[in-house]
Amino acid sequence: MNLSLWLAVLLALAVVLAWLRLWLWQRNAPDASRSRGWRLVALWLLQPLCAALLYFTLLPPTLPTEAGTLVVATAGATRTGAQAAGDRLIALPEAPILTGAERVPDLATALRRYPGMQRLRIVGAGLEPRDREAAQTLPLTFDAPALPRGVVRLDGPGQVAAGAAFQIGGQVNGVDKGSVELIDPAGQRVDALALPASGEFIVTGTTRVPGQAIFTLRVRDAQRKTVEEVQVPLWTTADPAPRMLLLAGAPSPELKYLRRWAADAGLYLHTQIGVGGGMQLGDAPLRVDAATLQRFDLVVLDERSWATLGANERAALIEAVRQGLGLVLRITGPLPDTTRRQWQALGFSLGTSGDIATVRLPAESIDEEALRARRGPGTADTATAPNGAQDDNPALTRRALKLGGADATPLLRDADGAVLAVWRAEQRGRIAVWSVTDSFALVLSGQSARHAELWSSAFATLARARTGSAPRIDPQPREQQRMALCALSGKPSVVAPDGRTTMLLPDPGAGDSTCAAYWPRQTGWHSLLQIDAKARESSWPFFVYAHDAAPGLRAAELRDSTLRLQALPVSVAGKSDGHEASRRSGSSWPWLLAWLIGIGLLWWLERARTGRTNIAA
């Protein structure tokens, strides 16, 4: 039973008792003191009237109110616009000082203070993560501001394998005819790009050794003045060496430099090269069966070695691909009809011509300084070009076959866009057809780094995928802001740059028992540690930006997140019903004044002799 019902019952009981007292007094009073009929009726009516007035004094009735708008000032808000009757202006902690604005610690507090509000209007940069859940309970409009000048979007790989190439994409706002440069940790420029009108860019780089490194993205304007520099953290991992099985029907310079690259890249390589008459060069021969193929991540063979495989061996190879193995089919000469049909049965279209054609790879669009930084100092066996100058793009040869397939994806193109290699998925594995026959010419022309990038990119696409899942960490976390870490297992914890360890607990608000929340208090590299049931520890570094770093990225994140809230439907959870939201509690003072008048009249009438019977007179 609620308060209003209890109060009504008590006041009704008091009225009944007052009526009973009045009736007993009228019956037992002397004839000269008894009330006349009109006086008795007035006393009877004043009792419930005073009780009702007292009830409304204590619990005044609600009054309909105009549906108001809660104007929410966020960071950077300068003008709040016109406000109608019933609107309220509140300022969140990050908002500047505004005349007439009420300071609140968060949006949820403001909604509890003003339950009658029907809409939200966000002014300024946008809502912080702490306020976005509360904003889903009301329709929202957002006066989105213009983005600042500089980098407003940044897509980095975060994690990359040692020796592999990586790409960093993004968008720059408000810099006409500018450029973007990628600076490595040593301060050398490894790539540069002139900004198009859209401001979108993609720059590339390479990593050399495992560890944590911070690259820098530098934005310059048309006058070559620095507009902004943004840190790009990269974690270079030392993945287990891929295992490759190389089968060839004859020796060739292509095999020589491919084997040299594999050795330099740290791959585990098993080579079997036929020389005729049943003789082989390289490592000890292996049987091509399921047990052998399970030991490798990638198999590279040409049309000659394919033809020497038996039907059972080819079947075992294709079945291994379906279980996750990568397979590269190299075309080094004319394809026999049987081999052509067998490869076409794997889902490829190979065309009919098999002549030799000359092709050139797309020229590298980097300048001398970036090229010298990317190639490094070179080695005694493979030196760079004199003074680091860029060499001419060498001509390569290929088999002039029109490669394709219904679900095939280009793996390599030449400068004219012609497809040099394609790949397609075969259940859990991938198969590629490669038509370039002398990629080693890149090494002979001083472009060994490009030769390595070529094969590294191909093998990374095709090799067997590593098992195990990595945790999901919020991109670009900032200090003093809540971040989410998901797909956790075991006993997770985070180690801050100063060595302080924080144990992570499941986040009940995330709806996923594998997620946890973390509030970083420092900038720099943090480490997520996980210990599994076998007491094995794994570490996943992530970088935390300063609160005021990369202001363009922060402004874009606030703006885009608030715009997404505007597009979402209003959440029913936590929203009061329409009746409560459209009414407000009335004032008690009018009812108190009426009660005082009524109780005063009742007190006077109880004691006055007016209306009494006077027999003696």
Side-chain angles (χ1 to χ4, degrees):
M1 188 179 296
N2 56 28
L3 177 61
S4 60
L5 186 57
W6 273 109
L7 184 59
V9 170
L10 291 176
L11 291 176
L13 182 60
V15 170
V16 171
L17 292 177
W19 281 348
L20 180 61
R21 183 194 65 82
L22 185 61
W23 177 74
L24 292 175
W25 178 84
Q26 180 73 7
R27 190 186 67 172
N28 299 327
D31 294 339
S33 300
R34 290 180 180 177
S35 299
R36 296 180 184 274
W38 66 268
R39 183 178 183 273
L40 188 61
V41 172
L43 291 173
W44 278 62
L45 294 178
L46 282 173
Q47 298 289 346
L49 178 61
C50 290
L53 293 174
L54 179 59
Y55 176 85
F56 289 122
T57 299
L58 299 176
L59 297 175
T62 58
L63 301 175
T65 182
E66 181 182 356
T69 299
L70 188 64
V71 183
V72 183
T74 61
T78 55
R79 293 180 296 178
T80 59
Q83 299 179 33
D87 291 356
R88 296 283 183 178
L89 174 61
I90 61 110
L92 295 176
E94 59 275 5
I97 299 176
L98 297 174
T99 304
E102 178 184 353
R103 285 282 172 179
V104 293
D106 51 42
L107 181 58
T109 300
L111 292 176
R112 288 192 296 268
R113 290 183 184 178
Y114 303 105
M117 296 299 164
Q118 295 296 288
R119 293 173 298 276
L120 294 174
R121 182 160 63 89
I122 312 300
V123 294
L127 292 175
E128 296 284 346
R130 68 164 187 274
D131 301 314
R132 292 168 190 169
E133 183 177 357
Q136 299 180 30
T137 60
L138 290 177
L140 181 146
T141 58
F142 177 43
D143 303 331
L147 292 176
R149 190 167 181 246
V151 180
V152 296
R153 180 171 59 84
L154 184 62
D155 304 317
Q159 177 182 347
V160 64
F166 63 86
Q167 292 184 336
I168 298 174
Q171 185 175 9
V172 176
N173 180 64
V175 182
D176 295 332
K177 299 180 180 180
S179 61
V180 171
E181 300 174 354
L182 182 63
I183 312 299
D184 67 6
Q188 295 181 313
R189 187 175 75 247
V190 296
D191 201 2
L193 177 70
L195 286 173
S198 63
E200 297 182 345
F201 64 88
I202 296 179
V203 291
T204 62
T206 57
T207 59
R208 301 184 186 277
V209 295
Q212 302 162 7
I214 297 180
F215 284 70
T216 301
L217 195 68
R218 180 180 298 160
V219 180
R220 296 183 183 271
D221 59 13
Q223 289 73 35
R224 301 292 298 166
K225 294 181 179 179
T226 301
V227 176
E228 185 181 17
E229 291 186 349
V230 178
Q231 292 179 317
V232 183
L234 283 180
W235 174 37
T236 304
T237 60
D239 293 337
R243 298 157 296 179
M244 185 174 70
L245 175 61
L246 178 60
L247 305 177
S252 68
E254 182 76 344
L255 292 178
K256 171 185 175 182
Y257 285 95
L258 180 58
R259 294 176 63 188
R260 178 178 294 182
W261 165 79
D264 293 340
L267 274 67
Y268 172 81
L269 179 63
H270 188 94
T271 306
Q272 296 179 199
I273 303 176
V275 292
M279 302 293 291
Q280 286 188 348
L281 299 177
D283 301 308
L286 296 176
R287 293 185 57 183
V288 181
D289 55 16
T292 299
L293 297 175
Q294 184 64 31
R295 295 161 44 192
F296 294 93
D297 301 314
L298 186 72
V299 174
V300 181
L301 51 80
D302 55 19
E303 73 282 350
R304 294 183 183 180
S305 56
W306 173 274
T308 61
L309 297 178
N312 292 336
E313 292 177 321
R314 286 194 293 269
L317 181 59
I318 300 305
E319 181 60 28
V321 170
R322 292 169 179 163
Q323 298 300 319
L325 179 69
L327 175 61
V328 180
L329 304 174
R330 296 176 54 244
I331 303 177
T332 61
L335 284 179
D337 292 338
T338 302
T339 302
R340 182 187 299 272
R341 289 194 300 269
Q342 292 171 345
W343 286 10
Q344 287 176 340
L346 296 177
F348 296 99
S349 61
L350 304 177
T352 57
S353 175
D355 297 335
I356 296 178
T358 301
V359 296
R360 292 182 185 273
L361 298 180
E364 293 182 308
S365 58
I366 56 178
D367 57 17
E368 179 180 332
E369 180 181 351
L371 181 64
R372 184 167 55 250
R374 184 173 298 187
R375 290 181 178 180
T379 63
D381 296 332
T382 306
T384 58
N387 300 323
Q390 185 169 350
D391 307 291
D392 293 335
N393 196 6
L396 307 180
T397 56
R398 60 162 293 195
R399 287 290 166 176
L401 298 172
K402 189 175 181 180
L403 304 180
D407 56 349
T409 302
L411 181 63
L412 180 64
R413 294 180 183 268
D414 65 5
D416 298 326
V419 178
L420 306 179
V422 294
W423 69 270
R424 61 175 299 273
E426 182 68 23
Q427 294 186 13
R428 295 170 57 187
R430 295 179 176 183
I431 307 177
V433 175
W434 187 276
S435 65
V436 179
T437 60
D438 58 353
S439 64
F440 68 90
L442 293 171
V443 180
L444 299 181
S445 63
Q447 298 190 35
S448 57
R450 192 170 192 189
H451 176 267
E453 291 178 10
L454 183 72
W455 286 104
S456 176
S457 175
F459 284 11
T461 303
L462 303 171
R464 188 192 303 270
R466 298 291 181 180
T467 59
S469 58
R472 300 191 304 274
I473 303 175
D474 280 353
Q476 299 168 7
R478 294 179 180 269
E479 63 173 337
Q480 305 301 332
Q481 287 191 4
R482 178 185 183 274
M483 60 175 296
L485 303 96
C486 292
L488 303 178
S489 61
K491 298 179 179 179
S493 61
V494 173
V495 180
D498 61 356
R500 181 179 301 176
T501 302
T502 303
M503 300 300 298
L504 300 181
L505 300 177
D507 184 4
D512 187 351
S513 60
T514 65
C515 290
Y518 177 65
W519 280 263
R521 299 180 179 179
Q522 301 177 19
T523 62
W525 286 100
H526 294 60
S527 294
L528 170 62
L529 303 181
Q530 297 188 103
I531 303 177
D532 59 15
K534 297 181 179 180
R536 293 177 301 188
E537 183 178 273
S538 58
S539 175
W540 304 90
F542 61 92
F543 187 81
V544 175
Y545 286 87
H547 182 75
D548 56 351
L553 291 178
R554 173 169 166 76
E557 193 275 333
L558 293 175
R559 182 178 185 267
D560 295 343
S561 298
T562 309
L563 287 175
R564 285 193 293 267
L565 287 176
Q566 183 177 356
L568 290 177
V570 177
S571 174
V572 179
K575 187 181 187 303
S576 58
D577 57 41
H579 176 73
E580 292 179 347
S582 62
R583 305 183 68 86
R584 62 179 177 85
S585 179
S587 176
S588 300
W589 291 105
W591 299 102
L592 176 61
L593 181 60
W595 177 77
L596 290 175
I597 294 174
I599 202 68
L601 180 61
L602 181 60
W603 177 85
W604 173 80
L605 194 57
E606 284 274 4
R607 286 157 179 76
R609 299 191 58 84
T610 303
R612 296 179 185 270
T613 304
N614 193 347
I615 300 177

